[in-house]
Amino acid sequence: MTLNELIGELQLPISEQEQKEGVGRLSNQVNQSSSYDSIDSYLILLSDDIEDYFHSGKINRALEFAITTLLEDTSASAIGLDGKGYCDVVNHLQKGGKHDWRGLNPKETLRLLSRATFIHDLLAREHLSASQISRLLFSLESSLYVPYKAIQVIAAHFELLPSLSVGDFENVIHPKDEIYSNQHFTDTSADESCEIAGELASPWLDGDSISSDLRLLIKQGEGTILTSENASGWPYLQMLHWCMLPLDRYDHPASFLYEFSPRGALGEAVFAQYHVATGNAVLNNAKAVSQLDDQWARNRSGVSAHALVRILHMVESLPFHARRSVAAIIRAWLTRIIELTDRDLTLINETLSFAQIIRLCGFIQHDESNTQGVIEQRIVDALSVLAFQHEGWIPRGLGDSVNASNFSRHKLGDVEFANIDKRAAIALEAHGGIVSPAYVRGHQQSLARIVQQRLEESWANLDDPAKWSVRVIFVSHGSTGGLPENEIIHEVPISYEYWDYSKLVDGAIDHSTEELALSAFRKYFVQALNRDVVPQRIRNKASQILNDSAVSI
C-alpha cells in the first residue's frame, strides 16, 4: 500500500490537493529524519499505528507525526485545527462525557472529523447550533449519526460553541421581546393575543393553525389558565418559551430541548418570569426525552402537549430567518400572557369632572401619549361617540384593542359608524403621530379586503355597490402632503379626510353637553382603561394627564 493510500484511511479534513502536497512533505521529512530508517520502514510503522488506532483509539508516534505534518499549511490549520488540536479533539470525542453521552468509536471519530472544516463554516457563518449540525450531517450521510455533544466538542475547540447566558436573556433578548410585545399586544386580551400572533406569523405559516394551537395552550377547562388556580397548563408555555429562546441567535431545531441547558441558571431565569410555582418545566415534563415530538405528546394527558408539538413542528419546518421571526412573535406573545397574570391594578378614578375632560382633550391636541396609541384610541372612542353616534348610526369597534384586526372584527376602521338607510359608513383611524402616504397606503390595502367582505356579507344584497359610500377620517397630530382624497374600491366610493385632534374635539365637545361628555368619557375612556388587559403604565399615564400631577410611569 502506498503512503497516499494509507493517509486516505485517516479521512483528514483536507482537500485532495492538500493531501497530495502533505504526502510529499511527509515523505521528505521521513527521509530527512533520524527517527526512521527509510520511507518503507515508516510505512510499516504507520500502517501498524493506523491498525492499532482502529482497535484501541490510541494515536501512536508515527501516526501523530503523519497527522501533524499533513495538517500543516492547510485550510484546517488556518481555522485552528493543527496536528495537536486534531489529536486533542480525537481523544475528547472518544472519551465522551462523564455520564451524559457515550464517546465515539475510532471510525465514527475520523468520519466526523473529516467534516471539521464544514462544521466550522456552519458554526461561524451560518450560526447553526450543535443539534442542527448533528441533524444536518445525518441527513447528508446516514452513517454519521452523532450526538450534539460531539459537535460541541469540535465547536469548543474552534471557540465557536453556541451558548446563551443569563445576561443574554435578561439584557438583550427579553427586553427586545418586551418592546415587540408592547408594540403588537399592547392592550389585548389572551384570546385577541392568540389571533394577532397568528396574523403576525401568517407571512410564513398558516396563521389560523398557530392561533388555534396557542389558544389550546392557554385553555383550562371552560376558561383559561389566567383565571384558574390550577398551574398544570403553565409548564407547556414555559417549555415553548424555552424552545423559542435559542432561535434568536442560532439556527436550531425548535423541538430539541437540552443543548442550552434548561436545568441551569438560564432555565431558572426564563421560568422565573412566570408568576406560578411549577418548578423546572423541562425537567419535570421531559426528563427522559431529548426532543418534544409526537411520541412524547402521546404520553401526556390533555391537548396542550399535542398543541405544543404542532407549534414546534411548524416553526421547525421553516428556514432559519423565517423561523427566527416566528420565534420572536411567539416570545412576544408569551410576554403578553405573562403580563396578563399581573393582578396588582391601580384603577383610574371613575368620578370625572368636565374640567378633567377638557384637560385631557387639551393634552391630546398637542402631545402624543407614548402609550402605543392606547390613550389616543380611547379618546377617539369617546369623542367619536359624541360626534357621530346619532340616530340610525350603528358603531363597531368601540373598546377594541389598538392592535385588533379590522378584517377579523369586520370593521372599516378603528371605529366605524354605519347607517344602512343612508347607505353610508364613517370610519375613524386614530394615530399617535404624523399621517404619511405610506401609512395611508397600508390602510388602503386592508380597506379593500374589508369593503369586499362587507359587500359579500350584506351591502351587495341591499343595494348596488356604487350606491354605498365610505368616509375615512384619519385623526392624528398632523399629516404630510401627497395624501389621497378619494378612490373607488370594488365600485364603492371612498373619501379620505385628515383631521387633527382639535377638529375632532371641536366636533364632539362643542356640540355636546357636559352630561353626555362625562358619560362618554367615563364609559369609553376610564372604564375601558380600567380593564385588566390594559397595562398599568398606561393607566398611570392617563391619571397623570387627568390630574396634572406627577405619577410614576
Side-chain angles (χ1 to χ4, degrees):
M1 184 177 289
T2 65
L3 180 56
N4 191 60
E5 290 172 332
L6 270 179
I7 296 303
E9 294 184 11
L10 300 178
Q11 306 172 67
L12 293 173
I14 55 179
S15 69
E16 185 177 354
Q17 181 62 32
E18 286 174 333
Q19 180 171 316
K20 181 179 179 181
E21 294 171 356
V23 168
R25 188 166 53 247
L26 179 59
S27 297
N28 291 336
Q29 291 192 21
V30 167
N31 287 328
Q32 296 171 13
S33 173
S34 59
S35 301
Y36 304 105
D37 296 334
S38 66
I39 190 66
D40 290 335
S41 63
Y42 177 74
L43 276 174
I44 295 172
L45 290 172
L46 180 59
S47 178
D48 290 344
D49 278 5
I50 291 175
E51 184 177 354
D52 186 51
Y53 168 76
F54 283 123
H55 282 92
S56 69
K58 183 179 179 181
I59 299 177
N60 294 319
R61 189 166 66 91
L63 177 55
E64 182 177 3
F65 180 69
I67 292 171
T68 301
T69 303
L70 285 156
L71 290 177
E72 289 176 4
D73 299 323
T74 62
S75 54
S77 63
I79 58 174
L81 195 63
D82 58 9
K84 182 181 183 304
Y86 182 93
C87 293
D88 288 344
V89 172
V90 166
N91 290 330
H92 197 161
L93 289 171
Q94 293 176 167
K95 182 180 179 181
K98 289 184 178 179
H99 306 291
D100 52 354
W101 68 288
R102 177 189 63 81
L104 307 184
N105 65 43
K107 287 185 178 180
E108 290 172 329
T109 300
L110 295 188
R111 195 176 296 140
L112 176 59
L113 281 175
S114 72
R115 288 292 201 168
T117 55
F118 179 50
I119 292 171
H120 178 277
D121 286 348
L122 294 175
L123 292 163
R125 298 181 183 180
E126 303 299 329
H127 307 291
L128 267 66
S129 69
S131 299
Q132 191 74 305
I133 292 174
S134 174
R135 293 205 323 163
L136 176 61
L137 292 177
F138 181 65
S139 71
L140 295 173
E141 304 163 27
S142 60
S143 64
L144 195 55
Y145 182 66
V146 298
Y148 73 85
K149 286 184 175 293
I151 306 298
Q152 286 182 318
V153 170
I154 299 173
H157 175 80
F158 289 136
E159 298 183 349
L160 293 171
L161 182 66
S163 64
L164 289 170
S165 68
V166 173
D168 292 331
F169 172 68
E170 293 182 342
N171 301 326
V172 181
I173 300 174
H174 187 57
K176 186 167 55 177
D177 293 342
E178 287 184 314
I179 292 171
Y180 198 3
S181 181
N182 291 338
Q183 289 174 340
H184 295 285
F185 305 101
T186 312
D187 59 342
T188 55
S189 67
D191 188 66
E192 287 175 322
S193 297
C194 296
E195 180 181 324
I196 291 172
E199 291 171 357
L200 292 172
S202 62
W204 305 284
L205 291 171
D206 181 353
D208 290 340
S209 295
I210 284 286
S211 296
S212 175
D213 283 325
L214 291 177
R215 285 191 179 93
L216 290 176
L217 284 182
I218 61 172
K219 182 177 176 59
Q220 190 102 43
E222 296 301 317
T224 72
I225 57 177
L226 300 172
T227 58
S228 173
E229 295 182 0
N230 185 346
S232 63
W234 285 101
Y236 296 103
L237 293 182
Q238 291 173 311
M239 284 192 285
L240 177 61
H241 205 152
W242 178 257
C243 291
M244 295 299 104
L245 192 62
L247 304 186
D248 184 70
R249 300 283 182 85
Y250 300 106
D251 185 343
H252 178 71
S255 62
F256 280 56
L257 288 169
Y258 282 99
E259 179 174 344
F260 295 92
S261 304
R263 296 187 179 102
L266 177 60
E268 292 177 1
V270 174
F271 302 144
Q273 301 295 316
Y274 292 77
H275 311 304
V276 288
T278 61
N280 187 297
V282 174
L283 186 62
N284 292 341
N285 294 275
K287 184 176 182 179
V289 299
S290 61
Q291 181 182 9
L292 297 180
D293 55 16
D294 291 330
Q295 182 176 352
W296 171 80
R298 283 194 292 269
N299 291 317
R300 312 295 299 179
S301 60
V303 298
S304 296
H306 293 279
L308 172 58
V309 168
R310 283 194 298 271
I311 292 170
L312 295 178
H313 283 181
M314 281 189 279
V315 174
E316 205 166 283
S317 70
L318 298 172
F320 174 45
H321 292 290
R323 195 179 334 133
R324 182 168 56 186
S325 296
V326 174
I329 293 166
I330 292 174
R331 291 196 310 273
W333 173 81
L334 288 163
T335 301
R336 176 58 180 160
I337 297 300
I338 294 170
E339 186 178 43
L340 287 170
T341 64
D342 185 4
R343 301 298 178 185
D344 186 16
L345 308 181
T346 301
L347 302 181
I348 303 170
N349 191 338
E350 291 192 20
T351 307
L352 282 178
S353 68
F354 190 70
Q356 286 177 308
I357 294 176
I358 297 302
R359 182 182 301 134
L360 182 66
C361 292
F363 172 88
I364 209 63
Q365 289 177 66
H366 301 99
D367 297 289
E368 296 180 37
S369 70
N370 297 314
T371 58
Q372 288 76 46
V374 175
I375 285 179
E376 282 84 354
Q377 183 62 61
R378 300 289 80 87
I379 291 175
V380 168
D381 283 355
L383 291 173
S384 66
V385 165
L386 296 174
F388 300 109
Q389 192 175 347
H390 307 306
E391 184 177 353
W393 292 87
I394 308 301
R396 291 191 190 192
L398 293 171
D400 280 357
S401 68
V402 294
N403 297 111
S405 164
N406 289 350
F407 184 77
S408 63
R409 291 291 189 278
H410 300 252
K411 57 181 185 174
L412 296 162
D414 292 334
V415 184
E416 171 198 324
F417 296 88
N419 190 311
I420 299 299
D421 293 334
K422 294 180 180 295
R423 303 295 193 259
I426 301 170
L428 289 90
E429 280 287 322
H431 188 54
I434 304 297
V435 171
S436 65
Y439 180 84
V440 176
R441 280 196 299 273
H443 182 74
Q444 287 175 303
Q445 291 172 359
S446 64
L447 184 62
R449 296 176 62 214
I450 301 163
V451 169
Q452 179 67 40
Q453 180 188 62
R454 188 64 60 84
L455 287 169
E456 292 173 353
E457 287 176 344
S458 60
W459 283 6
N461 293 327
L462 295 172
D463 214 331
D464 186 88
K467 298 293 181 65
W468 293 89
S469 67
V470 177
R471 178 186 175 196
V472 180
I473 302 173
F474 292 93
V475 185
S476 66
H477 288 98
S479 58
T480 64
L483 299 174
E485 295 183 359
N486 51 69
E487 66 173 328
I488 304 295
I489 297 179
H490 301 306
E491 300 182 48
V492 177
I494 312 291
S495 66
Y496 298 105
E497 301 176 28
Y498 306 94
W499 292 15
D500 57 22
Y501 283 93
S502 296
K503 186 171 183 177
L504 181 59
V505 169
D506 291 343
I509 298 296
D510 293 353
H511 298 86
S512 182
T513 66
E514 288 191 17
E515 183 180 359
L516 289 174
L518 286 168
S519 175
F521 273 87
R522 185 178 299 113
K523 180 176 181 179
Y524 296 109
F525 184 78
V526 176
Q527 292 177 1
L529 291 180
N530 278 342
R531 293 180 302 164
D532 58 8
V533 298
V534 177
Q536 184 60 45
R537 66 183 181 279
I538 295 176
R539 278 189 291 274
N540 291 347
K541 179 67 176 182
S543 294
Q544 178 184 347
I545 299 169
L546 287 168
N547 300 312
D548 195 24
S549 61
V551 177
S552 177
I553 301 171

